[in-house]
Amino acid sequence: MFSETTSLAIALQQWRAVLGESGVRLDPATLARFQQDTMCSAAYAEVVIAPLSAAQVSACMVIARRHGIAVHAVSTGHNWGYGSASTTHASCVLMDLSGMKRIVSFDEELSVVTLEPGVTQAALAGYLQEQGLPWLTPVTGAGPTCSVLGNALERGFGITPHTDHFQAVLGLEAVLADGSLYRSPMSLGATAPCFKWGVGPYLDGLFSQSGLGVVTQMSIALVKKPPVIQPFYFWVAEDEGLEAALDGIKRLLELAPGQIGGINLMNRTRLLTMASDAQVVGMSEAQQRSAAAALGLPAWMGVGSIYCQPAQHRSLKRMIRTELNRFASKSLFQTRGQLTAMARLLGKLPGGWSRRWQRTLHKMLQGIALMQGQPSEVALPLAYAAGAKALAGAPLNPARDNCGLI
Ligand SMILES: Cc1cc2nc3c(=O)[nH]c(=O)nc-3n(C[C@H](O)[C@H](O)[C@H](O)COP(=O)(O)OP(=O)(O)OC[C@H]3O[C@@H](n4cnc5c(N)ncnc54)[C@H](O)[C@@H]3O)c2cc1C
Protein backbone atom coordinates (compact mmCIF):
# COMPACT_ATOMS: atom_id res chain seq x y z
CA MET A 1 0.00 0.00 0.00
CA PHE A 2 1.23 3.48 -0.86
CA SER A 3 1.27 5.45 2.40
CA GLU A 4 0.54 9.11 1.72
CA THR A 5 3.74 10.44 3.19
CA THR A 6 4.53 14.12 3.30
CA SER A 7 6.76 13.81 0.27
CA LEU A 8 4.02 12.05 -1.74
CA ALA A 9 1.54 14.74 -0.68
CA ILE A 10 3.93 17.47 -1.87
CA ALA A 11 4.65 15.56 -5.10
CA LEU A 12 0.89 15.28 -5.77
CA GLN A 13 0.55 19.02 -5.35
CA GLN A 14 3.45 19.68 -7.70
CA TRP A 15 2.15 17.21 -10.32
CA ARG A 16 -1.23 18.96 -10.14
CA ALA A 17 0.51 22.29 -10.82
CA VAL A 18 2.02 20.75 -13.98
CA LEU A 19 -0.88 18.57 -15.19
CA GLY A 20 -3.96 20.18 -13.67
CA GLU A 21 -6.47 18.33 -11.46
CA SER A 22 -7.53 16.01 -14.28
CA GLY A 23 -3.96 14.82 -14.85
CA VAL A 24 -3.50 13.44 -11.30
CA ARG A 25 -6.03 10.75 -10.46
CA LEU A 26 -6.71 9.09 -7.13
CA ASP A 27 -10.43 8.49 -7.59
CA PRO A 28 -11.57 4.87 -7.05
CA ALA A 29 -12.98 4.45 -10.57
CA THR A 30 -9.69 5.39 -12.27
CA LEU A 31 -7.60 3.36 -9.84
CA ALA A 32 -9.86 0.32 -10.26
CA ARG A 33 -9.36 0.52 -14.04
CA PHE A 34 -5.60 0.33 -13.62
CA GLN A 35 -5.64 -2.32 -10.89
CA GLN A 36 -7.06 -5.02 -13.15
CA ASP A 37 -4.82 -7.74 -14.45
CA THR A 38 -5.25 -10.87 -16.58
CA MET A 39 -3.04 -12.90 -14.24
CA CYS A 40 -3.49 -13.78 -10.63
CA SER A 41 -0.60 -11.59 -9.47
CA ALA A 42 -1.23 -8.56 -7.29
CA ALA A 43 -2.01 -5.46 -9.36
CA TYR A 44 -1.18 -2.07 -7.95
CA ALA A 45 -2.15 1.46 -8.88
CA GLU A 46 -2.51 3.96 -6.05
CA VAL A 47 -1.87 7.14 -8.02
CA VAL A 48 -2.19 7.70 -11.78
CA ILE A 49 -0.55 10.69 -13.46
CA ALA A 50 -1.34 11.43 -17.09
CA PRO A 51 1.00 13.85 -18.90
CA LEU A 52 0.09 14.98 -22.40
CA SER A 53 3.48 16.05 -23.77
CA ALA A 54 7.18 15.24 -23.46
CA ALA A 55 7.65 18.53 -21.57
CA GLN A 56 5.04 17.43 -19.00
CA VAL A 57 6.63 13.96 -18.73
CA SER A 58 9.96 15.64 -18.05
CA ALA A 59 8.49 17.96 -15.37
CA CYS A 60 6.77 14.96 -13.72
CA MET A 61 9.99 12.95 -13.65
CA VAL A 62 11.89 15.85 -12.05
CA ILE A 63 9.25 15.97 -9.29
CA ALA A 64 9.26 12.18 -8.83
CA ARG A 65 13.04 12.16 -8.53
CA ARG A 66 13.05 15.07 -6.08
CA HIS A 67 10.79 13.07 -3.76
CA GLY A 68 12.31 9.63 -4.41
CA ILE A 69 9.13 8.21 -5.95
CA ALA A 70 9.28 5.36 -8.49
CA VAL A 71 7.27 5.76 -11.71
CA HIS A 72 5.96 3.02 -14.01
CA ALA A 73 4.98 4.22 -17.50
CA VAL A 74 2.43 2.55 -19.76
CA SER A 75 1.25 3.58 -23.21
CA THR A 76 -2.25 2.10 -23.47
CA GLY A 77 -1.73 -0.39 -20.63
CA HIS A 78 -3.15 -3.38 -22.49
CA ASN A 79 -0.22 -5.64 -21.80
CA TRP A 80 -2.64 -8.52 -21.25
CA GLY A 81 -0.89 -11.67 -20.14
CA TYR A 82 2.18 -9.75 -18.95
CA GLY A 83 0.87 -7.65 -16.08
CA SER A 84 -1.62 -5.44 -17.96
CA ALA A 85 -1.24 -1.82 -16.74
CA SER A 86 -0.44 -2.48 -13.12
CA THR A 87 2.76 -1.32 -11.49
CA THR A 88 5.20 -3.93 -10.28
CA HIS A 89 5.10 -2.91 -6.65
CA ALA A 90 2.83 -0.95 -4.36
CA SER A 91 4.88 2.19 -3.79
CA CYS A 92 5.07 3.19 -7.42
CA VAL A 93 3.15 5.84 -9.35
CA LEU A 94 1.59 4.82 -12.65
CA MET A 95 2.19 7.17 -15.59
CA ASP A 96 -0.57 6.80 -18.18
CA LEU A 97 0.58 8.07 -21.60
CA SER A 98 -2.59 7.14 -23.50
CA GLY A 99 -3.46 10.83 -23.88
CA MET A 100 -0.35 11.43 -26.05
CA LYS A 101 -2.02 10.52 -29.34
CA ARG A 102 -0.14 12.47 -32.00
CA ILE A 103 1.05 10.92 -35.22
CA VAL A 104 3.94 13.34 -35.56
CA SER A 105 4.90 12.59 -39.16
CA PHE A 106 4.83 10.03 -41.92
CA ASP A 107 7.71 9.95 -44.36
CA GLU A 108 6.45 8.35 -47.57
CA GLU A 109 9.89 8.23 -49.15
CA LEU A 110 11.40 6.30 -46.23
CA SER A 111 8.20 4.48 -45.10
CA VAL A 112 8.71 5.72 -41.54
CA VAL A 113 6.00 6.83 -39.14
CA THR A 114 6.82 8.84 -36.02
CA LEU A 115 4.20 8.62 -33.31
CA GLU A 116 3.43 9.05 -29.61
CA PRO A 117 2.60 6.35 -27.02
CA GLY A 118 -1.18 6.77 -27.14
CA VAL A 119 -1.46 6.03 -30.87
CA THR A 120 -3.32 2.73 -31.12
CA GLN A 121 -3.32 0.21 -33.97
CA ALA A 122 -6.82 1.47 -34.90
CA ALA A 123 -5.68 5.12 -34.89
CA LEU A 124 -2.68 4.39 -37.12
CA ALA A 125 -4.75 2.25 -39.51
CA GLY A 126 -7.41 5.01 -39.63
CA TYR A 127 -4.76 7.65 -40.34
CA LEU A 128 -3.17 5.62 -43.15
CA GLN A 129 -6.58 5.02 -44.70
CA GLU A 130 -7.73 8.65 -44.42
CA GLN A 131 -4.51 9.91 -45.96
CA GLY A 132 -4.66 7.32 -48.74
CA LEU A 133 -1.31 5.86 -47.66
CA PRO A 134 -1.00 2.19 -48.74
CA TRP A 135 1.16 0.98 -45.83
CA LEU A 136 0.51 -1.87 -43.39
CA THR A 137 -0.21 -1.16 -39.72
CA PRO A 138 1.93 -3.51 -37.56
CA VAL A 139 -1.08 -5.35 -36.16
CA THR A 140 -1.10 -7.99 -33.41
CA GLY A 141 -3.68 -10.36 -31.96
CA ALA A 142 -4.15 -7.95 -29.05
CA GLY A 143 -6.24 -5.78 -31.33
CA PRO A 144 -7.28 -2.25 -32.22
CA THR A 145 -7.00 -0.57 -28.79
CA CYS A 146 -3.33 -1.40 -28.19
CA SER A 147 -0.45 1.04 -28.52
CA VAL A 148 1.86 0.65 -31.51
CA LEU A 149 4.73 2.16 -29.50
CA GLY A 150 4.08 0.15 -26.30
CA ASN A 151 3.97 -3.11 -28.22
CA ALA A 152 7.20 -2.36 -30.10
CA LEU A 153 8.95 -1.31 -26.88
CA GLU A 154 7.98 -4.62 -25.25
CA ARG A 155 9.35 -6.49 -28.29
CA GLY A 156 5.93 -7.52 -29.53
CA PHE A 157 5.40 -9.77 -32.49
CA GLY A 158 3.00 -9.59 -35.43
CA ILE A 159 2.16 -11.27 -38.70
CA THR A 160 2.86 -8.53 -41.27
CA PRO A 161 6.34 -8.79 -42.88
CA HIS A 162 8.09 -6.79 -40.11
CA THR A 163 7.12 -9.47 -37.61
CA ASP A 164 9.63 -8.36 -34.94
CA HIS A 165 8.27 -4.98 -33.91
CA PHE A 166 11.29 -3.66 -32.01
CA GLN A 167 13.49 -4.57 -34.98
CA ALA A 168 11.42 -2.06 -36.99
CA VAL A 169 12.14 0.78 -34.53
CA LEU A 170 14.49 3.26 -36.19
CA GLY A 171 14.68 5.90 -33.49
CA LEU A 172 13.08 7.13 -30.31
CA GLU A 173 12.83 9.95 -27.84
CA ALA A 174 12.82 9.19 -24.12
CA VAL A 175 12.70 11.19 -20.90
CA LEU A 176 15.24 9.94 -18.37
CA ALA A 177 14.73 9.72 -14.62
CA ASP A 178 16.26 13.19 -14.11
CA GLY A 179 13.90 14.75 -16.66
CA SER A 180 16.53 15.11 -19.39
CA LEU A 181 15.78 14.04 -22.95
CA TYR A 182 17.45 11.22 -24.92
CA ARG A 183 17.08 11.19 -28.72
CA SER A 184 18.50 8.61 -31.09
CA PRO A 185 21.37 10.19 -33.06
CA MET A 186 19.59 9.91 -36.41
CA SER A 187 16.41 11.50 -35.00
CA LEU A 188 18.13 14.82 -34.43
CA GLY A 189 17.97 15.98 -38.05
CA ALA A 190 15.01 17.29 -40.01
CA THR A 191 14.09 13.99 -41.69
CA ALA A 192 12.80 10.75 -40.19
CA PRO A 193 15.56 8.38 -39.09
CA CYS A 194 16.24 5.66 -41.66
CA PHE A 195 19.28 3.91 -40.19
CA LYS A 196 18.51 1.99 -37.01
CA TRP A 197 22.06 1.84 -35.70
CA GLY A 198 22.84 5.57 -36.01
CA VAL A 199 26.43 6.46 -35.18
CA GLY A 200 28.54 5.39 -32.21
CA PRO A 201 27.28 2.98 -29.57
CA TYR A 202 23.70 1.83 -30.11
CA LEU A 203 21.65 3.00 -27.12
CA ASP A 204 17.98 2.75 -28.17
CA GLY A 205 17.84 -0.88 -27.03
CA LEU A 206 18.41 0.26 -23.45
CA PHE A 207 14.81 1.49 -23.40
CA SER A 208 13.27 -1.79 -24.53
CA GLN A 209 11.84 -3.94 -21.69
CA SER A 210 13.78 -1.94 -19.13
CA GLY A 211 11.91 1.01 -17.64
CA LEU A 212 15.12 3.04 -17.96
CA GLY A 213 13.24 5.96 -19.51
CA VAL A 214 9.78 7.13 -20.50
CA VAL A 215 9.54 6.84 -24.27
CA THR A 216 7.60 9.80 -25.63
CA GLN A 217 8.08 9.31 -29.38
CA MET A 218 9.13 6.51 -31.69
CA SER A 219 9.96 6.22 -35.40
CA ILE A 220 8.93 2.89 -36.89
CA ALA A 221 9.55 1.45 -40.36
CA LEU A 222 6.28 0.37 -41.97
CA VAL A 223 5.87 -2.00 -44.89
CA LYS A 224 4.21 -0.75 -48.06
CA LYS A 225 1.19 -2.87 -48.95
CA PRO A 226 2.28 -5.22 -51.74
CA PRO A 227 -0.17 -5.96 -54.58
CA VAL A 228 -0.48 -9.62 -53.52
CA ILE A 229 -1.41 -10.63 -49.97
CA GLN A 230 -2.28 -14.33 -50.09
CA PRO A 231 -3.13 -16.43 -47.04
CA PHE A 232 -2.34 -20.12 -46.83
CA TYR A 233 -3.63 -22.69 -44.37
CA PHE A 234 -2.31 -26.13 -43.48
CA TRP A 235 -3.48 -29.05 -41.39
CA VAL A 236 -1.39 -31.33 -39.16
CA ALA A 237 -3.73 -34.24 -38.54
CA GLU A 238 -2.14 -35.78 -35.42
CA ASP A 239 -0.05 -34.53 -32.49
CA GLU A 240 2.80 -36.79 -33.60
CA GLY A 241 3.21 -34.57 -36.68
CA LEU A 242 4.06 -31.46 -34.64
CA GLU A 243 7.84 -31.89 -34.60
CA ALA A 244 8.04 -32.29 -38.37
CA ALA A 245 5.68 -29.32 -38.75
CA LEU A 246 7.94 -27.08 -36.65
CA ASP A 247 10.96 -28.06 -38.76
CA GLY A 248 8.90 -27.42 -41.90
CA ILE A 249 7.74 -23.99 -40.70
CA LYS A 250 11.37 -23.05 -40.02
CA ARG A 251 12.27 -24.08 -43.56
CA LEU A 252 9.32 -22.10 -44.94
CA LEU A 253 10.43 -18.94 -43.15
CA GLU A 254 13.97 -19.40 -44.48
CA LEU A 255 12.63 -19.86 -47.98
CA ALA A 256 11.40 -16.35 -48.61
CA PRO A 257 12.36 -13.92 -45.83
CA GLY A 258 10.16 -10.83 -45.93
CA GLN A 259 7.70 -12.49 -48.27
CA ILE A 260 6.15 -14.87 -45.78
CA GLY A 261 4.76 -13.09 -42.70
CA GLY A 262 4.42 -14.66 -39.24
CA ILE A 263 3.03 -18.20 -39.27
CA ASN A 264 0.40 -18.85 -36.63
CA LEU A 265 0.18 -22.43 -35.38
CA MET A 266 -3.02 -23.24 -33.48
CA ASN A 267 -3.70 -26.33 -31.38
CA ARG A 268 -6.92 -28.31 -31.13
CA THR A 269 -8.19 -26.40 -28.10
CA ARG A 270 -7.79 -23.10 -29.87
CA LEU A 271 -9.38 -24.38 -33.06
CA LEU A 272 -12.36 -25.77 -31.16
CA THR A 273 -12.77 -22.51 -29.24
CA MET A 274 -12.89 -20.62 -32.52
CA ALA A 275 -15.07 -23.07 -34.44
CA SER A 276 -17.68 -24.30 -31.98
CA ASP A 277 -20.19 -22.95 -29.49
CA ALA A 278 -19.32 -25.64 -26.95
CA GLN A 279 -17.62 -24.80 -23.66
CA VAL A 280 -14.15 -26.06 -24.55
CA VAL A 281 -12.40 -25.07 -21.34
CA GLY A 282 -12.83 -27.95 -18.90
CA MET A 283 -13.26 -30.63 -21.60
CA SER A 284 -11.06 -33.69 -21.18
CA GLU A 285 -8.50 -34.52 -23.86
CA ALA A 286 -10.76 -37.32 -25.15
CA GLN A 287 -13.80 -35.01 -25.27
CA GLN A 288 -11.79 -32.42 -27.19
CA ARG A 289 -10.61 -35.07 -29.63
CA SER A 290 -14.11 -36.29 -30.37
CA ALA A 291 -15.54 -32.72 -30.61
CA ALA A 292 -12.72 -31.82 -33.02
CA ALA A 293 -13.24 -34.99 -35.07
CA ALA A 294 -16.94 -34.17 -35.41
CA LEU A 295 -16.01 -30.80 -36.90
CA GLY A 296 -13.20 -32.17 -39.05
CA LEU A 297 -10.56 -30.23 -37.08
CA PRO A 298 -6.97 -31.50 -36.94
CA ALA A 299 -4.58 -31.63 -33.97
CA TRP A 300 -2.82 -28.51 -35.26
CA MET A 301 -3.57 -25.97 -37.95
CA GLY A 302 -1.28 -23.29 -39.36
CA VAL A 303 -2.02 -19.97 -41.02
CA GLY A 304 0.54 -17.98 -42.93
CA SER A 305 0.59 -15.21 -45.51
CA ILE A 306 2.51 -14.39 -48.66
CA TYR A 307 3.40 -10.76 -49.40
CA CYS A 308 4.72 -10.34 -52.93
CA GLN A 309 4.56 -8.88 -56.42
CA PRO A 310 2.28 -10.55 -58.99
CA ALA A 311 5.31 -11.87 -60.92
CA GLN A 312 6.53 -13.75 -57.82
CA HIS A 313 3.17 -15.11 -56.75
CA ARG A 314 2.98 -18.34 -58.69
CA SER A 315 6.54 -19.47 -57.91
CA LEU A 316 6.21 -18.61 -54.21
CA LYS A 317 2.98 -20.59 -53.98
CA ARG A 318 4.64 -23.54 -55.68
CA MET A 319 7.64 -23.46 -53.32
CA ILE A 320 5.41 -23.19 -50.25
CA ARG A 321 3.13 -25.98 -51.41
CA THR A 322 6.13 -28.28 -51.99
CA GLU A 323 7.35 -27.63 -48.43
CA LEU A 324 3.85 -28.07 -46.96
CA ASN A 325 3.45 -31.41 -48.74
CA ARG A 326 6.40 -32.69 -46.72
CA PHE A 327 4.65 -32.37 -43.36
CA ALA A 328 1.04 -31.20 -43.66
CA SER A 329 -1.90 -33.54 -44.16
CA LYS A 330 -3.72 -30.87 -46.21
CA SER A 331 -3.10 -27.31 -47.41
CA LEU A 332 -5.22 -24.57 -48.88
CA PHE A 333 -4.49 -21.29 -50.66
CA GLN A 334 -7.63 -19.14 -50.78
CA THR A 335 -7.97 -15.45 -51.56
CA ARG A 336 -10.27 -13.04 -49.75
CA GLY A 337 -12.57 -12.99 -52.81
CA GLN A 338 -12.85 -16.79 -52.86
CA LEU A 339 -13.61 -16.98 -49.12
CA THR A 340 -16.20 -14.19 -49.39
CA ALA A 341 -17.92 -16.03 -52.26
CA MET A 342 -17.92 -19.26 -50.23
CA ALA A 343 -19.40 -17.46 -47.20
CA ARG A 344 -22.11 -15.95 -49.39
CA LEU A 345 -22.98 -19.34 -50.83
CA LEU A 346 -23.09 -21.00 -47.42
CA GLY A 347 -25.34 -18.21 -46.16
CA LYS A 348 -28.02 -19.56 -48.52
CA LEU A 349 -27.86 -23.09 -47.06
CA PRO A 350 -29.80 -24.09 -43.94
CA GLY A 351 -28.58 -26.16 -40.97
CA GLY A 352 -25.92 -26.33 -38.27
CA TRP A 353 -23.23 -27.55 -40.67
CA SER A 354 -23.61 -24.42 -42.81
CA ARG A 355 -23.68 -22.13 -39.74
CA ARG A 356 -20.47 -23.68 -38.37
CA TRP A 357 -18.70 -23.22 -41.69
CA GLN A 358 -19.94 -19.66 -42.00
CA ARG A 359 -18.46 -18.98 -38.60
CA THR A 360 -15.12 -20.53 -39.61
CA LEU A 361 -15.08 -18.54 -42.86
CA HIS A 362 -15.87 -15.35 -40.95
CA LYS A 363 -12.83 -15.97 -38.70
CA MET A 364 -10.69 -16.69 -41.76
CA LEU A 365 -11.80 -13.42 -43.35
CA GLN A 366 -11.01 -11.54 -40.14
CA GLY A 367 -7.58 -13.20 -40.19
CA ILE A 368 -7.02 -11.96 -43.76
CA ALA A 369 -7.97 -8.43 -42.68
CA LEU A 370 -5.18 -8.68 -40.06
CA MET A 371 -2.72 -9.79 -42.76
CA GLN A 372 -3.73 -6.69 -44.70
CA GLY A 373 -2.87 -4.48 -41.73
CA GLN A 374 -6.42 -3.91 -40.52
CA PRO A 375 -6.52 -4.33 -36.74
CA SER A 376 -9.26 -6.60 -35.47
CA GLU A 377 -10.49 -8.31 -32.30
CA VAL A 378 -10.39 -11.74 -33.96
CA ALA A 379 -8.04 -13.30 -31.35
CA LEU A 380 -9.39 -11.62 -28.21
CA PRO A 381 -12.50 -13.83 -27.69
CA LEU A 382 -10.03 -16.62 -26.81
CA ALA A 383 -9.46 -14.89 -23.48
CA TYR A 384 -13.20 -15.18 -22.80
CA ALA A 385 -13.43 -18.89 -23.63
CA ALA A 386 -14.02 -19.95 -20.02
CA GLY A 387 -17.27 -18.01 -19.96
CA ALA A 388 -16.34 -14.43 -19.03
CA LYS A 389 -18.84 -11.84 -20.23
CA ALA A 390 -17.65 -8.88 -22.28
CA LEU A 391 -18.94 -5.41 -21.47
CA ALA A 392 -21.63 -4.67 -24.04
CA GLY A 393 -20.91 -1.94 -26.55
CA ALA A 394 -17.24 -1.55 -25.60
CA PRO A 395 -14.05 -2.92 -27.13
CA LEU A 396 -12.93 -6.25 -25.65
CA ASN A 397 -10.61 -5.84 -22.68
CA PRO A 398 -9.71 -9.06 -20.82
CA ALA A 399 -8.27 -7.20 -17.81
CA ARG A 400 -11.48 -5.23 -17.33
CA ASP A 401 -13.62 -8.32 -17.87
CA ASN A 402 -11.59 -10.41 -15.43
CA CYS A 403 -10.41 -13.10 -17.81
CA GLY A 404 -7.28 -14.17 -19.66
CA LEU A 405 -5.49 -17.11 -21.17
CA ILE A 406 -2.35 -19.11 -20.62
C1 LIG B 1 -5.66 -12.68 -27.08
C2 LIG B 1 -4.36 -11.94 -27.02
C3 LIG B 1 -3.56 -11.85 -28.15
C4 LIG B 1 -2.34 -11.17 -28.12
N1 LIG B 1 -1.61 -11.14 -29.26
C5 LIG B 1 -0.41 -10.54 -29.27
C6 LIG B 1 0.38 -10.55 -30.47
O1 LIG B 1 -0.03 -11.08 -31.52
N2 LIG B 1 1.60 -9.95 -30.43
C7 LIG B 1 2.06 -9.35 -29.29
O2 LIG B 1 3.17 -8.81 -29.35
N3 LIG B 1 1.34 -9.33 -28.15
C8 LIG B 1 0.12 -9.91 -28.10
N4 LIG B 1 -0.63 -9.92 -26.93
C9 LIG B 1 -0.03 -9.36 -25.70
C10 LIG B 1 -0.34 -7.85 -25.35
O3 LIG B 1 -1.71 -7.69 -25.12
C11 LIG B 1 0.16 -6.89 -26.45
O4 LIG B 1 1.55 -7.04 -26.61
C12 LIG B 1 -0.18 -5.40 -26.19
O5 LIG B 1 0.08 -4.66 -27.36
C13 LIG B 1 0.60 -4.74 -25.08
O6 LIG B 1 -0.15 -3.69 -24.55
P1 LIG B 1 0.01 -2.16 -24.96
O7 LIG B 1 0.23 -2.06 -26.42
O8 LIG B 1 -1.15 -1.42 -24.37
O9 LIG B 1 1.36 -1.75 -24.23
P2 LIG B 1 1.52 -1.16 -22.77
O10 LIG B 1 0.78 -2.00 -21.79
O11 LIG B 1 1.22 0.28 -22.77
O12 LIG B 1 3.08 -1.32 -22.61
C14 LIG B 1 3.68 -2.54 -22.32
C15 LIG B 1 4.82 -2.31 -21.31
O13 LIG B 1 5.87 -1.58 -21.97
C16 LIG B 1 6.41 -0.59 -21.12
N5 LIG B 1 6.05 0.73 -21.70
C17 LIG B 1 4.97 0.99 -22.45
N6 LIG B 1 4.99 2.24 -22.89
C18 LIG B 1 6.10 2.80 -22.40
C19 LIG B 1 6.68 4.08 -22.54
N7 LIG B 1 6.10 5.00 -23.30
N8 LIG B 1 7.85 4.33 -21.91
C20 LIG B 1 8.44 3.37 -21.17
N9 LIG B 1 7.96 2.12 -21.00
C21 LIG B 1 6.79 1.84 -21.61
C22 LIG B 1 5.80 -0.81 -19.76
O14 LIG B 1 6.62 -1.70 -19.04
C23 LIG B 1 4.46 -1.46 -20.09
O15 LIG B 1 4.01 -2.25 -19.02
C24 LIG B 1 -1.88 -10.56 -26.91
C25 LIG B 1 -2.68 -10.63 -25.77
C26 LIG B 1 -3.91 -11.30 -25.81
C27 LIG B 1 -4.75 -11.36 -24.57
Side-chain angles (χ1 to χ4, degrees):
M1 205 41 196
F2 216 151
S3 60
E4 197 160 321
T5 56
T6 323
S7 56
L8 177 63
I10 300 171
L12 287 171
Q13 255 176 23
Q14 294 178 342
W15 281 325
R16 283 193 186 102
V18 175
L19 306 174
E21 286 294 326
S22 61
V24 181
R25 309 291 295 266
L26 292 99
D27 56 290
T30 302
L31 297 183
R33 193 155 58 83
F34 286 98
Q35 282 167 344
Q36 292 149 338
D37 187 17
T38 55
M39 301 191 296
C40 298
S41 49
Y44 305 105
E46 305 292 329
V47 178
V48 177
I49 56 176
L52 296 174
S53 66
Q56 287 190 347
V57 171
S58 167
C60 289
M61 292 309 290
V62 169
I63 294 166
R65 186 166 192 243
R66 190 183 299 144
H67 299 288
I69 296 169
V71 172
H72 175 73
V74 298
S75 290
T76 41
H78 294 164
N79 209 14
W80 301 313
Y82 308 97
S84 303
S86 60
T87 62
T88 46
H89 58 92
S91 46
C92 185
V93 164
L94 193 125
M95 183 179 275
D96 168 23
L97 299 165
S98 62
M100 293 179 65
K101 294 174 187 287
R102 270 186 326 138
I103 295 177
V104 180
S105 65
F106 183 75
D107 190 316
E108 289 187 45
E109 216 165 311
L110 301 173
S111 299
V112 177
V113 70
T114 299
L115 41 70
E116 291 188 333
V119 176
T120 60
Q121 291 179 29
L124 178 58
Y127 168 87
L128 293 172
Q129 194 175 358
E130 272 162 31
Q131 305 289 319
L133 297 166
W135 273 265
L136 297 166
T137 297
V139 289
T140 69
T145 64
C146 294
S147 163
V148 176
L149 182 155
N151 180 268
L153 203 58
E154 272 293 291
R155 305 177 197 159
F157 203 83
I159 55 165
T160 55
H162 286 170
T163 46
D164 176 343
H165 291 167
F166 192 71
Q167 184 65 36
V169 174
L170 297 177
L172 54 81
E173 174 191 89
V175 174
L176 306 184
D178 65 357
S180 61
L181 208 61
Y182 164 84
R183 276 210 190 100
S184 316
M186 302 299 270
S187 304
L188 296 172
T191 60
C194 59
F195 182 50
K196 184 177 173 79
W197 311 114
V199 287
Y202 174 73
L203 300 178
D204 293 8
L206 287 173
F207 299 97
S208 163
Q209 278 196 1
S210 71
L212 288 180
V214 180
V215 177
T216 45
Q217 239 177 63
M218 189 178 266
S219 295
I220 302 174
L222 299 186
V223 176
K224 200 164 189 176
K225 233 179 235 182
V228 178
I229 302 178
Q230 158 86 70
F232 59 90
Y233 308 88
F234 57 89
W235 280 246
V236 178
E238 294 300 334
D239 284 321
E240 291 68 34
L242 179 63
E243 207 173 323
L246 292 175
D247 285 342
I249 288 170
K250 196 166 156 283
R251 281 196 305 274
L252 274 176
L253 292 172
E254 283 164 359
L255 204 64
Q259 286 171 321
I260 300 179
I263 294 179
N264 203 342
L265 192 59
M266 298 174 280
N267 69 2
R268 190 182 281 118
T269 311
R270 177 161 179 186
L271 293 171
L272 266 177
T273 306
M274 290 167 77
S276 84
D277 293 320
Q279 174 76 44
V280 180
V281 177
M283 274 188 188
S284 69
E285 168 98 27
Q287 286 169 324
Q288 282 200 15
R289 273 179 180 276
S290 80
L295 294 172
L297 297 173
W300 294 87
M301 187 172 170
V303 185
S305 44
I306 303 173
Y307 295 88
C308 70
Q309 298 300 316
Q312 302 165 305
H313 190 191
R314 194 191 284 254
S315 62
L316 267 170
K317 252 170 84 172
R318 201 172 34 237
M319 284 191 321
I320 293 169
R321 206 189 294 277
T322 306
E323 274 306 326
L324 290 177
N325 284 344
R326 292 169 67 176
F327 66 87
S329 46
K330 191 158 75 171
S331 65
L332 188 72
F333 290 73
Q334 295 292 19
T335 61
R336 182 179 205 153
Q338 288 165 329
L339 291 175
T340 311
M342 281 160 75
R344 215 172 287 137
L345 198 68
L346 278 169
K348 299 197 167 106
L349 301 176
W353 176 86
S354 149
R355 266 200 312 281
R356 270 198 305 277
W357 267 102
Q358 281 179 60
R359 180 177 160 148
T360 303
L361 286 172
H362 179 64
K363 294 272 180 201
M364 287 163 95
L365 284 165
Q366 281 184 309
I368 297 181
L370 266 190
M371 292 169 195
Q372 294 177 330
Q374 291 163 24
S376 103
E377 289 188 334
V378 62
L380 280 174
L382 291 170
Y384 293 72
K389 290 276 166 286
L391 185 67
L396 294 179
N397 180 333
R400 179 201 58 212
D401 298 328
N402 197 25
C403 57
L405 53 89
I406 297 177

